[in-house]
């Protein structure tokens, strides 16, 4: 099942902090990712909308979220259960959504209307979204919403340069109020804390301060005139209506004097400008923290400003990006500010008081091309068309180092067998080696003549590096130790598409577009050992433990893998073996990734990697309703001057330019890789780096189950101190919690005896359980004793089955290595603190000796005596 999304941290939409202020919710395409800033972890929810998410609304208690996509389809999501509760369709694109502070209502804005709904409760409801009121007033599309602290009123900004204040209830002295004063689109509006005073900000970087003559307590409820008659009339109407419609409130920009008598009035106190004279920098987003009176504004040039209101004092100004800042959010304490830049896919969290980054993440600017797992499965390295090499931590989902030495697109990346060196090949004609200890490029391999490298391979010892060229059709061999070019292999008549070393023998396999696969023997001076001639261009080849496997690439007839023929309209471009060598994972120019069984030669499962229809090539069938004599209407942008739409070419034109064509990114899988632990696989796609892992939920999967094996019998055997028998019975039932209960009941002094008497068949299962237990359990020393005893007592027998057990051992190594790094950092920090405390205690009570005067001072004293 889907596990995590790496490589993409922000696409578009508004950023939101959770209620406690320690986590940030970021829309990533048609999914949402939650960044835990205190524990340094990231999680992507296993739910998705049909199109890209444009706005997210969080409930005040932090338990619910409303996700709305580009077409107005909404999902009500539980942030606790991480599941979809309700689907709703608003029929038109929604610009913003906001819950009231008391959590009873929420408002959405679409077109020139604001709709107020009853917020979904904690009980089961037939319809979670019930319309309460519809507010009319603005002439153009609405852009932003803000509520007063007591949920009595809300303000709506519009593209017609006006801001409207509406009452959430029908107040006698405030039903609606229109505010002008701006010369451009309203970007944001904010109420002051516990007040009706308002700040409005426009796109031309102007801020208006509005003062209200009435306090929140001064709002008078509407007298209950003709309430009974209205109720009866509404009841009669509802008999003929399928769904009750909410109340409609129509605002006027220029109300009569009689309508404004004894009503709330606003007056503009001040107007401020962010830009200096002659500077035309569009303001794109803003956020306001009411308790600290802190205003944060983001601009199209990538600059943000911090101001203190209402005096408009500049606190801080900083350029954080080359692209426009699309979204800004401030957490509940006012310490952390989150910025999202959709152009570069950047996500930044800035602590303004200490002027430091809490989080700084960015994906590849262009699409990812290649990926590789580290030998222990803990890290993933990716290479992109932007020339960057990034290393990701699979447990935290964060990128912790980026190498930018390449000057052109990276075509292949790989780890050496020790896991501390990364190799990358690029179209700039270099193969570079990076050190993960010091985070530097320590070796650069080049060819005698400039060549564009398309593939890369390193042997199991990490000493021999090979790269294939796509322009000279040659294979270059280098030594890792000296960096010297050892040999140049010629023989192919087309670009080299893939290289792979045999992990057991000194044999290199090379695949080419000349429809051949060649085997080169290193011990025989790199002579061609064997040549396979195929019917189509070979795209990729890979070695498992015993035999060679290759993928054939054919554009017209679909795809062909070794002896398997599949007639698709799309073709496979990448494949890899599973960790145990029993399955093959294949993907390419399609939204599907297929797993095939090698022995049975059948399709085991087909994964749909995306359901995001904002990407191209997602439709299985063309929609004939959108086809016209001029082409597909889906390719014509209907935007009306948005930041992502088409600028309006002529006055009076309300839709986009019909001659303009925009292209959506095409869904495709560029690279696949199985984790060495065998528990997950990763794919670089148009959406980012997707990781799929085994479901860790409760699955009843018994092993050699007997009629006497029941939980009560297992506990009875455990009570009788027959530990080995209880462990065997627990693994037969194969319930994880019961296995954990039995193993943790074994005394540490009895572990040696239990391990020695454990049947060989169950040793592998115990090791696999220990590897998974390390990730969640706090009994670190106890499980390390178990691991040590099992490997010491059964090491020789396990070595004979090393090929089959390799994924389990690597999974165990990954879990132990992660704990080792955490504990070693903690120990080093403690040692430093103890040394510091000892040094301070030794200095305490010691009198400092008076410093002896220097020679220069003595000379000065003698001169002064002489003058006297």
């Amino acid at each position: 099942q889907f596990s995590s999304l790496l490589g993409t941290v922000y696409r578009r939409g508004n950023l939101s902090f959770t209620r406690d202020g320690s986590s940030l919710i970021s829309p990533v395409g048609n999914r949402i990712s939650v960044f835990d800033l205190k524990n340094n972890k990231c999680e992507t929810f296993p739910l998705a909308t049909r199109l890209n998410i444009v706005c997210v609304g969080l409930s005040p208690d932090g338990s619910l979220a409303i996700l709305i996509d580009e077409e107005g389809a909404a999902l009500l999501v539980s942030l606790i259960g991480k599941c979809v509760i309700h689907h709703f369709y608003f029929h038109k694109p929604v610009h913003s959504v906001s819950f009231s502070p008391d959590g009873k209502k929420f408002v959405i804005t679409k077109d020139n209307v604001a709709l107020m709904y009853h917020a979904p409760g904690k009980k089961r409801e037939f319809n979670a979204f019930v319309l309460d009121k519809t507010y009319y007033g603005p002439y153009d599309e609405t852009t932003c919403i803000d509520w007063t602290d007591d949920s009595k009123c809300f303000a709506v900004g519009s593209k017609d340069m006006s801001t409207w204040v509406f009452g959430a209830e029908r107040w006698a002295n405030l039903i609606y109020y229109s505010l002008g004063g701006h010369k451009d689109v309203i970007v944001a509006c904010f109420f002051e804390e516990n007040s009706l005073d308002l700040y409005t900000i426009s796109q031309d970087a102007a801020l208006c301060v509005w003062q209200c003559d009435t306090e929140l307590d001064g709002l008078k409820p509407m007298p209950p005139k003709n309430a009974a008659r209205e109720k009866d009339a509404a009841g009669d109407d509802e008999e003929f209506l399928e769904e009750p419609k909410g109340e409609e409130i129509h605002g006027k920009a220029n109300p009569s004097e009689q309508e404004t008598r004894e009503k709330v009035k606003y007056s503009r106190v001040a107007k401020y400008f962010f830009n200096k004279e002659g500077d035309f920098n569009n303001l794109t987003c803003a956020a306001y923290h009411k308790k600290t009176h802190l205003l944060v504004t983001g601009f199209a040039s990538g600059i943000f400003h911090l101001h203190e209101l209402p005096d408009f004092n500049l606190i801080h100004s900083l350029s954080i990006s080359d692209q426009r800042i699309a979204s800004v959010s401030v957490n509940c304490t006012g310490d952390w500010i989150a910025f999202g830049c959709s152009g570069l896919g950047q996500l930044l969290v800035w602590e303004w008081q200490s002027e430091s980054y809490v989080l700084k993440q960015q994906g590849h600017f262009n699409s990812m091309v290649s990926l590789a797992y580290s030998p222990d499965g803990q890290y993933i390295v990716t290479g992109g068309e932007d020339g960057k090499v990034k290393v990701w931590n699979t447990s935290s989902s964060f990128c912790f180092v980026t190498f930018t030495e390449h000057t052109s697109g990276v075509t292949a990346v790989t780890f050496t067998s020790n896991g501390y060196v990364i190799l990358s090949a690029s179209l700039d004609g270099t193969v570079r080696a990076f050190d993960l200890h010091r985070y530097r490029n320590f070796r650069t391999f080049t060819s005698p003549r400039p060549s564009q490298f398309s593939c890369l391979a390193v042997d199991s010892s990490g000493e021999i590096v090979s790269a294939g060229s796509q322009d000279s059709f040659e294979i270059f061999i280098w030594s890792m130790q000296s960096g010297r070019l050892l040999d140049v292999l010629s023989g192919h008549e087309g670009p080299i598409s893939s290289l792979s070393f045999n992990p057991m023998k000194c044999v290199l396999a090379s695949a080419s577009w000349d429809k051949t696969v060649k085997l080169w023997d290193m011990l025989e001076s790199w002579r061609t050992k064997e040549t396979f001639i195929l019917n189509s261009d070979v795209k990729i080849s890979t070695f498992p433990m015993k035999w060679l496997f290759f993928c054939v690439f054919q554009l017209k007839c679909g795809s062909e893998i070794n002896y398997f023929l599949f007639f698709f309209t799309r073709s496979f471009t990448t494949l890899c073996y599973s960790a145990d060598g029993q399955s093959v994972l294949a993907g390419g120019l399609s939204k599907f990734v297929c797993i095939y069984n090698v022995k049975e030669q059948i399709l085991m499962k087909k994964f749909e990697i995306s359901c995001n229809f904002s990407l191209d090539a997602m439709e299985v069938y063309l929609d004939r309703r959108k086809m016209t004599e001029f082409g597909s209407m889906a390719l014509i942008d209907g935007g009306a001057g948005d930041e992502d739409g088409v600028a309006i070419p002529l006055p009076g034109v309300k839709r986009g330019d019909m001659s303009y064509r925009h292209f959506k990114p095409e869904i495709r899988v560029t690279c696949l890789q199985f984790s060495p632990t065998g528990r997950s696989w990763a794919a670089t796609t148009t959406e980012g780096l997707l990781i799929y892992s085994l479901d860790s939920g409760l699955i009843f999967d018994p092993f050699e189950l007997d009629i006497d094996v029941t939980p009560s019998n297992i506990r009875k055997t455990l009570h009788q101190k027959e530990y080995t028998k209880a462990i065997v019975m627990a693994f037969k039932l194969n319930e994880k919690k019961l296995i954990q209960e039995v193993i943790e009941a074994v005394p540490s002094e009895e572990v040696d005896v239990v391990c020695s008497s454990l049947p060989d068949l169950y040793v592998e299962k115990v090791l696999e359980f220990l590897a998974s237990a390390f990730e969640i359990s706090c009994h670190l020393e106890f499980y390390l004793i178990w691991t040590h005893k099992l490997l010491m007592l059964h090491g020789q027998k396990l070595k004979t089955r090393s090929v089959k057990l390799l994924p389990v051992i690597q999974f165990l190594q990954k879990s132990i290595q992660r704990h080792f790094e955490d504990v070693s950092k903690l120990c080093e920090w403690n040692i430093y603190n103890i040394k510091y405390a000892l040094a301070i205690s030794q200095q305490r009570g010691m009198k400092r000796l008076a410093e002896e005067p220097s020679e220069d001072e003595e000379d000065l004293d003698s001169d002064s005596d002489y003058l006297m």
Side-chain angles (χ1 to χ4, degrees):
Q1 65 171 9
F2 174 78
S3 172
S4 183
L5 173 64
L6 286 72
T8 311
V9 289
Y10 176 75
R11 280 277 168 83
R12 60 177 297 191
N14 60 304
L15 299 169
S16 305
F17 276 98
T18 52
R19 185 184 179 187
D20 58 357
S22 63
S23 297
L24 179 67
I25 295 176
S26 170
V28 184
N30 65 334
R31 302 180 186 270
I32 56 166
S33 293
V34 180
F35 294 88
D36 188 346
L37 302 174
K38 287 191 175 176
N39 298 319
N40 197 35
K41 283 187 178 180
C42 170
E43 182 184 12
T44 305
F45 283 14
L47 49 92
T49 56
R50 192 173 176 273
L51 297 165
N52 284 335
I53 296 170
V54 292
C55 47
V56 178
L58 290 185
S59 63
D61 60 357
S63 61
L64 297 174
I66 296 174
L67 315 179
I68 305 175
D69 69 12
E70 292 169 343
E71 286 186 351
L75 295 182
L76 178 64
V77 174
S78 169
L79 296 178
I80 299 167
K82 300 167 190 173
C83 59
V84 177
I85 300 172
H86 185 66
H87 293 260
F88 194 79
Y89 188 45
F90 289 110
H91 299 287
K92 286 189 177 179
V94 174
H95 305 111
S96 55
V97 58
S98 178
F99 274 87
S100 62
D102 61 5
K104 293 180 180 179
K105 304 282 178 69
F106 71 88
V107 172
I108 65 111
T109 59
K110 65 174 186 178
D111 286 345
N112 61 338
V113 182
L115 303 172
M116 186 164 70
Y117 287 82
H118 291 284
K122 295 182 180 178
K123 298 178 182 179
R124 289 190 177 183
E125 297 165 317
F126 178 72
N127 183 11
F129 292 0
V130 179
L131 182 64
D132 183 26
K133 292 183 180 67
T134 305
Y135 296 88
Y136 296 91
Y139 294 106
D140 205 342
E141 293 182 355
T142 47
T143 55
C144 55
I145 309 166
D146 191 56
W147 286 84
T148 54
D149 288 341
D150 59 358
S151 307
K152 289 182 178 180
C153 304
F154 65 91
V156 174
S158 172
K159 287 185 177 179
D160 66 358
M161 300 173 283
S162 67
T163 308
W164 292 74
V165 181
F166 293 108
E169 304 293 336
R170 262 193 177 278
W171 305 109
N173 52 347
L174 177 59
I175 300 172
Y176 61 87
Y177 199 98
S178 176
L179 301 168
H182 285 282
K183 297 179 181 179
D184 208 339
V185 174
I186 304 297
V187 173
C189 54
F190 305 107
F191 281 105
E192 189 55 89
E193 186 181 17
N194 297 319
S195 172
L196 281 170
D197 295 348
L198 193 66
Y199 302 106
T200 56
I201 303 166
S202 60
Q203 191 173 296
D204 60 352
L207 166 70
C208 287
V209 183
W210 303 90
Q211 190 174 9
C212 184
D213 63 351
T214 310
E215 294 295 326
L216 282 170
D217 298 335
L219 292 175
K220 302 169 186 175
M222 187 75 77
K225 184 176 64 174
N226 298 330
R229 193 189 309 168
E230 288 177 8
K231 191 174 181 182
D232 293 338
D236 293 338
D237 291 341
E238 283 179 17
E239 291 179 9
F240 303 100
L241 291 173
E242 292 181 6
E243 184 182 346
K245 290 187 176 179
E247 183 184 355
E248 292 187 359
I249 296 169
H250 294 265
K252 298 177 184 176
N254 298 308
S256 62
E257 289 185 13
Q258 187 177 355
E259 290 176 349
T260 57
R261 196 175 298 154
E262 297 182 358
K263 297 287 176 72
V264 167
K265 290 184 181 178
Y266 276 91
S267 57
R268 194 175 77 186
V269 179
K271 186 172 184 179
Y272 302 105
F273 296 94
F274 292 89
N275 290 334
K276 295 176 182 177
E277 192 174 348
D279 188 10
F280 301 99
N281 190 5
N282 277 352
L283 190 145
T284 54
C285 54
Y288 181 60
H289 191 258
K290 296 181 181 180
K291 291 182 181 177
T292 56
H293 305 284
L294 186 73
L295 176 68
V296 189
T297 48
F299 291 84
S301 61
I303 296 173
F304 79 90
H305 295 316
L306 262 71
H307 285 87
E308 186 184 9
L309 296 181
D311 299 328
F312 200 68
N313 297 324
L314 181 65
I315 300 171
H316 194 65
S317 180
L318 186 70
S319 177
I320 57 170
S321 179
D322 298 332
Q323 302 283 330
R324 63 185 291 273
I325 300 174
S327 180
V328 174
S329 181
V330 186
N331 74 337
C332 58
T333 59
D335 297 326
W336 293 347
I337 305 166
F339 301 96
C341 303
S342 56
L344 293 173
Q346 284 180 318
L347 183 64
L348 309 167
V349 179
W350 173 264
E351 188 173 21
W352 66 275
Q353 289 175 331
S354 63
E355 297 186 8
S356 61
Y357 286 108
V358 178
L359 175 73
K360 190 177 183 181
Q361 290 286 303
Q362 181 182 349
H364 287 279
F365 179 66
N366 294 325
S367 60
M368 296 182 190
V369 175
S370 57
L371 82 128
Y373 267 100
S374 62
D376 60 358
Q378 195 170 356
Y379 305 120
I380 295 177
V381 59
T382 57
E385 291 178 352
D386 57 357
K388 292 180 181 177
V389 176
K390 289 179 174 284
V391 189
W392 307 84
N393 190 319
T394 54
S395 55
S396 68
S397 300
F398 282 130
C399 170
F400 61 91
V401 62
T402 302
F403 299 107
T404 57
E405 279 78 6
H406 284 295
T407 56
S408 187
V410 177
T411 53
V413 288
T414 186
F415 274 93
T416 56
S417 55
N418 62 5
Y420 296 115
V421 175
I422 293 170
L423 288 158
S424 62
S426 172
L427 296 175
D428 63 3
T430 62
V431 173
R432 296 179 183 271
F434 302 100
D435 183 10
L436 280 186
H437 283 303
R438 298 181 182 177
Y439 300 139
R440 64 187 181 95
N441 175 209
F442 70 93
R443 191 82 76 230
T444 302
F445 307 101
T446 56
S447 55
R449 289 177 298 170
S451 297
Q452 291 186 320
F453 296 119
S454 57
C455 51
L456 176 69
V458 61
D459 73 333
S460 54
S461 66
E463 293 298 322
I464 305 295
V465 179
S466 65
S469 170
Q470 69 178 23
D471 45 10
S472 64
F473 314 151
E474 294 171 328
I475 301 168
F476 298 90
I477 310 291
W478 295 277
S479 166
M480 176 71 85
Q481 286 282 355
S482 62
R484 290 173 55 193
L485 181 67
L486 300 179
D487 210 339
V488 180
L489 310 182
S490 302
H492 282 293
E493 297 174 0
I496 314 297
S497 56
S498 179
L499 294 172
S500 181
F501 273 100
N502 189 321
M504 299 299 183
K505 299 177 183 177
C506 302
V507 176
L508 173 68
S510 62
S512 172
W513 289 13
D514 63 1
K515 304 179 183 179
T516 62
V517 174
K518 292 181 181 289
L519 299 183
W520 311 83
D521 196 338
M522 185 172 68
L523 300 178
E524 296 181 7
S525 302
W526 296 106
R527 282 193 296 180
T528 308
K529 191 175 181 181
E530 195 169 354
T531 302
F532 302 97
I533 300 173
L534 304 168
N535 298 326
S536 303
D537 300 344
V538 184
K539 185 68 180 174
I540 189 166
S541 63
T542 180
F543 259 115
M545 292 300 173
K546 295 180 181 176
W547 56 82
L548 177 68
F549 200 88
F550 39 82
C551 168
V552 181
F553 182 64
Q554 192 172 5
L555 283 173
K556 292 183 181 178
C557 300
S559 51
E560 177 182 353
I561 300 188
N562 208 0
Y563 299 107
F564 314 143
L565 294 171
F566 305 100
F567 297 96
F568 285 94
T569 56
R570 299 278 170 181
S571 56
F572 290 125
T573 58
T574 177
L575 66 89
C576 72
Y577 260 95
S578 61
D580 57 4
Q582 295 179 4
S583 306
V584 172
L585 204 62
L589 304 179
S590 163
K591 64 177 179 178
F592 294 108
V593 171
C594 304
I595 293 186
Y596 298 99
N597 187 288
V598 175
K599 191 175 180 181
E600 301 293 334
Q601 301 185 7
I602 58 170
L603 174 67
M604 293 165 61
K605 189 167 183 179
K606 190 161 68 169
F607 294 92
E608 187 178 8
I609 58 168
S610 177
C611 59
N612 188 359
F613 283 85
S614 294
L615 301 173
D616 213 350
M618 289 293 295
E619 299 275 3
V620 180
Y621 302 103
L622 285 175
D623 190 352
R624 296 184 66 184
R625 293 172 297 182
K626 294 182 179 178
M627 297 301 293
T628 64
E629 58 182 320
F630 304 107
S632 175
M633 292 296 290
L635 295 176
I636 298 173
D637 196 342
D642 295 338
E643 64 272 5
D644 299 323
V646 188
I648 300 171
L650 295 170
V653 178
K654 292 187 177 180
R655 307 303 291 173
D657 183 3
M658 298 293 279
S659 65
Y660 175 82
R661 295 291 181 271
H662 76 287
F663 298 95
K664 298 185 287 188
E666 184 182 341
I667 184 70
R668 59 177 179 169
V669 181
T670 52
C671 190
L672 287 168
Q673 193 81 30
F674 242 104
S675 171
T677 62
R679 299 184 64 83
S680 62
W681 57 269
T684 52
T685 67
T686 310
E687 285 200 309
L689 177 60
L690 299 172
I691 296 179
Y692 286 78
S693 61
L694 292 176
D695 187 5
S696 57
L698 183 63
I699 300 172
F700 184 61
D701 184 20
F703 175 73
E704 295 184 354
L705 190 61
D706 196 359
I707 196 168
D708 297 327
V709 179
T710 61
S712 58
N713 284 348
I714 293 170
R715 290 188 177 95
K716 192 185 292 181
T717 309
L718 190 64
H719 187 66
Q720 294 169 359
K721 297 186 178 180
E722 296 180 17
Y723 300 119
T724 307
K725 187 179 177 182
I727 289 171
V728 170
M729 289 172 71
F731 274 103
K732 282 184 177 181
L733 196 61
N734 208 6
E735 282 193 14
K736 197 169 182 181
K737 288 187 177 179
L738 192 61
I739 295 170
Q740 184 178 349
E741 182 186 335
V742 171
I743 286 183
E744 290 183 358
V746 179
S748 55
E749 61 271 9
E750 297 284 337
V751 172
D752 198 353
V753 180
V754 173
C755 288
S756 60
S757 60
L758 204 63
D760 294 342
L761 190 62
Y762 291 92
V763 172
E764 180 186 343
K765 291 189 170 294
V766 174
L767 283 172
E768 192 173 352
F769 169 77
L770 291 173
S772 59
F774 270 117
E775 293 192 332
I776 54 173
S777 179
C778 57
H779 305 298
L780 187 58
E781 186 184 1
F782 179 74
Y783 283 119
L784 282 172
I785 293 168
W786 268 96
T787 309
H788 180 256
K789 296 296 182 187
L790 279 172
L791 294 175
M792 290 295 289
L793 293 166
H794 299 272
Q796 291 300 324
K797 293 178 182 177
L798 293 172
K799 199 171 182 181
T800 58
R801 293 181 291 145
S802 60
V803 174
K804 188 180 178 183
L805 287 172
L806 189 62
V808 177
I809 299 298
Q810 285 176 331
F811 183 33
L812 190 66
Q813 182 191 353
K814 174 191 173 183
S815 303
I816 295 172
Q817 181 70 23
R818 188 172 63 84
H819 280 294
F820 171 73
E821 290 176 0
D822 293 342
V823 173
S824 60
K825 284 178 185 176
L826 186 64
C827 291
E828 286 172 5
W829 176 248
N830 289 341
I831 289 168
Y832 169 76
N833 283 336
I834 290 167
K835 285 181 178 178
Y836 178 75
L838 285 171
I840 293 295
S841 64
Q842 287 171 2
Q843 288 184 0
R844 186 172 291 173
M846 291 175 61
K847 291 183 178 179
R848 293 188 179 180
L849 298 172
E851 293 182 0
E852 295 180 2
S854 61
E855 293 180 2
D856 295 338
E857 289 177 355
E858 288 178 0
D859 293 343
L860 285 170
D861 291 341
S862 62
D863 291 343
S864 60
D865 292 340
Y866 177 75
L867 288 169
M868 287 172 70

